[in-house]
Amino acid sequence: MATLRNPRKYQSLIILFQFFLLIQIQLVFCYQYKVGDLNAWNIPSSANKDVYLKWSKNHIFKLGDSILFLYPPSEDSVIQVTKQNYNSCNLKNPILYMNNGNSLFNITRPGEFYFTSGAEGHCEKLQKLHISIGGGNGTSYDEADSPAFAPSPSYTNVFGSIPVQSSNSTSASSSGKVEISVFAAVGLLFLTLFIGSTIL
């Protein structure tokens, strides 16, 4: 392999490329979490009644992640509610209503988010979820700081449907997938080849 005669000439190019590569990789390290790591969003069993509480405490969610609720659409739904309605299991006036069976909630801002089943009586049986998303600096937000608790026409949630994953998927896919873009993969290959050619 040919060697470059003046590798310092390309040093600023390498640094610039690494900077863009780092930004690209940072953007694609988002996870999709299947709620509770269960096959379905449903009433917790008596043996595992705190499944959603434990699950949310064992995960660190960040901006760009998404939460997937899987359930039979004819039997259940998901609603986003205020903290007060979450605590009292009040299903009236939800902030967001999803009922397609593959409900995806994308985390687009920091704050506190409260979800419960939209089916009567399910919330009282602990089919509810609270997640907390800290800011970029690791701080968390209280209800007063989060616009999610003041429903208004300007409040937006980005969500959509995705196909159901096969039941033989691995545990890694149930907790989320890391997908590296083509740009990042090609960039890593280029960087490896470039550095290798300067060393030889």
Side-chain angles (χ1 to χ4, degrees):
M1 184 175 277
T3 60
L4 297 175
R5 299 201 186 271
N6 191 359
R8 290 180 192 246
K9 178 179 173 184
Y10 299 102
Q11 191 171 16
S12 61
L13 179 64
I14 293 171
I15 292 170
L16 183 63
F17 180 77
Q18 288 174 335
F19 174 73
F20 284 118
L21 186 62
L22 181 64
I23 290 173
Q24 183 69 19
I25 290 173
Q26 182 75 21
L27 291 174
V28 297
F29 281 160
C30 299
Y31 290 88
Q32 180 184 92
Y33 295 93
K34 189 172 9 170
V35 173
D37 294 330
L38 302 171
N39 290 331
W41 163 248
N42 55 20
I43 297 171
S45 67
S46 59
N48 197 12
K49 63 182 179 178
D50 294 329
V51 63
Y52 297 118
L53 177 65
K54 291 175 185 174
W55 181 80
S56 65
K57 287 186 176 186
N58 289 329
H59 291 80
I60 298 172
F61 305 102
K62 64 183 184 343
L63 296 178
D65 289 346
S66 54
I67 311 293
L68 176 64
F69 297 85
L70 293 174
Y71 52 90
S74 59
E75 298 174 19
D76 214 335
S77 61
V78 180
I79 58 174
Q80 182 186 0
V81 295
T82 64
K83 181 179 182 179
Q84 182 179 5
N85 287 354
Y86 174 87
N87 290 332
S88 65
C89 287
N90 181 353
L91 307 182
K92 295 180 181 171
N93 301 317
I95 296 169
L96 177 67
Y97 177 77
M98 299 179 280
N99 67 346
N100 65 358
N102 294 315
S103 301
L104 188 66
F105 181 83
N106 290 325
I107 301 167
T108 58
R109 62 176 177 76
E112 303 291 318
F113 298 92
Y114 299 90
F115 301 94
T116 183
S117 168
E120 288 291 332
H122 287 207
C123 177
E124 290 82 359
K125 295 176 181 174
L126 302 179
Q127 187 183 350
K128 56 186 187 174
L129 175 70
H130 165 232
I131 61 171
S132 179
I133 315 303
N137 58 3
T139 59
S140 62
Y141 290 78
D142 292 329
E143 178 179 347
D145 298 329
S146 174
F149 299 101
S152 67
S154 63
Y155 176 76
T156 57
N157 277 307
V158 182
F159 64 94
S161 300
I162 65 167
V164 178
Q165 293 179 345
S166 63
S167 59
N168 61 358
S169 63
T170 64
S171 61
S173 65
S174 67
S175 65
K177 283 187 178 178
V178 178
E179 295 182 5
I180 298 179
S181 70
V182 173
F183 174 78
V186 170
L188 286 172
L189 179 64
F190 171 77
L191 190 59
T192 303
L193 293 173
F194 186 76
I195 290 173
S197 68
T198 60
I199 293 172
L200 295 177

